[in-house]
Structure formats: structure tokens, C-alpha cells
């Protein structure tokens, strides 16, 4: 858990500094306003929990995030601390009782709320932590399913069938996300992803031969993480230039995407 935190921390720290500068310093300077040290200290006192990646524990009255995507990393580290401790001591209790009971109650609660943002659960942790906990439970079952699939010997026809099921699951999940309100169909998309990813991890699918680990795939993986961490401050920068006018922002979509790509590559190094 400590190693996971230290692995993410340099990435999130740099993204935090860039986002803090754009939102609280550049925005004021661009608007012709003065930058007051006391105001910066006040902002930092609210956002310091995000810097340390623990803001999703409910501290700061569930305040919003300076760099939105970081909520997931914060929730992930909190959930992993809980789940890994349980798995080390009581794995059988986890997969026979705790995980299925959590999925039953958690998804029932999720389906009953009007929105799924992290402000809804004002407890010791935010609603986002529960969402990540449910995803982690499903990830655990996905891994167990992939292990069972890996032990089975498949013929060429069987591998083709698995590959077809895998690609179909991912394609259907994307179609559902694009053309429906996924709040009402997330149970289906979740099931599709569990099946598709389990097949992928089993190494019996032909897609495993197409996307073998290499310097290129490792580089693309790191680039995807860089884009995840840095695209929001770039968006904030463009919004400031457009005075938060969405009509002026839409024509800049291509320059925005190019800027995200270039800045993400610079951010990696």
C-alpha cells in the first residue's frame, strides 16, 4: 500500500501544483485581479487533503476537488488499505460474505439515488469511496474468474469464441454508454466488463497476442495515466481564455486535444 502511494504521489503532486497555479494564480492575473497570499493559503488549507490523496475520506465536508480526476486515486488508496488488510487475514470471509453482501446493498443504494456524485454520502467517507469499493469487489471476482479460465485448455475454435465474446462485451458496454443513460444500465455494463476483462486476463483470447507487453504498450500506458492526471488543468486553462463561455470553447476542441497530448508527453518526462 505504501509503494502504491509513493508510485502515484510524484504524478499527483506535479498535477496538483500545475492545477493550483492555473486556477488560483493565472485565473486572477488573466482577469486583472491581484493575487493575495492570504487567499492562496485559504485555498491550500482546503486542498491540502487532496495533495496527500486522502480527501475522499470525507474530510473538508466533502468539498469538491481542485483536479477532479484525482478523486479516484484518493478513493482507490483508501479502499485498497481496507480490502488488502481483509484479504491478508480473512480472504474466504471476504469473497463468501463481505464482498457479495456489499455488492447487494451497495448497488441497491446506488440504484435508489438520483445522482452518483461524491457529495451524496456525507459520512466518514464519501460516496465515491463506496463506488470504488464495489468496483474493487468486482475486480476481485474478475481475477478469480480469469484464474479459473486460465486453467482450462481451449481449442482454436474455443479461443475464437472467447475472443468474440470478449470483444462483444466491450463493444456492447461502449454502445450502452454512448446511447443510453448508464445510470439505469450500469448493472449490464458492469457484468459485460467483468466477463470481457476476465477473458482478457486469462490469456486465452487472441487479443492477448495483439497487445503483448512491449516498450510501446508500456509507453502508451504511462501516457494514458499522464492524460488522466493533466487534462483537467489544461481544460481549466482553455476555459479561462474563453471566459467560461462554452460556445467559445467548442470551436477550440482540436487545439485543446492537441495541447492535452503535447502537455501530457511533457508531463511524463
Amino acid at each position: 500500500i505504501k509503494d502504491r502511494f509513493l508510485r502515484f504521489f510524484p504524478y499527483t503532486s506535479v498535477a496538483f501544483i500545475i492545477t493550483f497555479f492555473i486556477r488560483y494564480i493565472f485565473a486572477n492575473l488573466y482577469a486583472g485581479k491581484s493575487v493575495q497570499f492570504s487567499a492562496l493559503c485559504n485555498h491550500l488549507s482546503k486542498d491540502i487533503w487532496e495533495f496527500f490523496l486522502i480527501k475522499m475520506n470525507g474530510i473538508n465536508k466533502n468539498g469538491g476537488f481542485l483536479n477532479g480526476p484525482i478523486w479516484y486515486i484518493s478513493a482507490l488508496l483508501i479502499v485498497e488499505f481496507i480490502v488488502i488488510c481483509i484479504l491478508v487475514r480473512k480472504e474466504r470471509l471476504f469473497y463468501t460474505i463481505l464482498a457479495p453482501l456489499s455488492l447487494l446493498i451497495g448497488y441497491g443504494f446506488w440504484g435508489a439515488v438520483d445522482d452518483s456524485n461524491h457529495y451524496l454520502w456525507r459520512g466518514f467517507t464519501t460516496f465515491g469511496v463506496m463506488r470504488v469499493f464495489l468496483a474493487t469487489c468486482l475486480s476481485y471476482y474478475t481475477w478469480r474468474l480469469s484464474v479459473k479460465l486460465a486453467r482450462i485448455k481451449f481449442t482454436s475454435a474455443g479461443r475464437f469464441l472467447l475472443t468474440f465474446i470478449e470483444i462483444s462485451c466491450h463493444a456492447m458496454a461502449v454502445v450502452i454508454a454512448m446511447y443510453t443513460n448508464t445510470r439505469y444500465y450500469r448493472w449490464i455494463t458492469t457484468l459485460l466488463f467483468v466477463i470481457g476483462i476476465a477473458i482478457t486476463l486469462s490469456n486465452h483470447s487472441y487479443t492477448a497476442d495483439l497487445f503483448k507487453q512491449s516498450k510501446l504498450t508500456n509507453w502508451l500506458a504511462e501516457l494514458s495515466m499522464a492524460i488522466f492526471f493533466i487534462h483537467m488543468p489544461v481544460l481549466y486553462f482553455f476555459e479561462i481564455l474563453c471566459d467560461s463561455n462554452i460556445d467559445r470553447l467548442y470551436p477550440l476542441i482540436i487545439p485543446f486535444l492537441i495541447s492535452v497530448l503535447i502537455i501530457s508527453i511533457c508531463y511524463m518526462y
Side-chain angles (χ1 to χ4, degrees), residues 5 32 96 104 127 133 175 183 256:
F5 178 87
T96 58
L104 183 67
F127 182 71
F133 177 72
V175 170
R183 175 176 175 269
F256 166 71

Side-chain angles (χ1 to χ4, degrees), residues 105 177 234:
I105 297 174
V234 180

Side-chain angles (χ1 to χ4, degrees), residues 198-210:
I199 294 174
T200 303
L201 294 178
S202 72
N203 269 336
H204 285 314
S205 166
Y206 282 111
T207 59
D209 297 330
L210 297 175

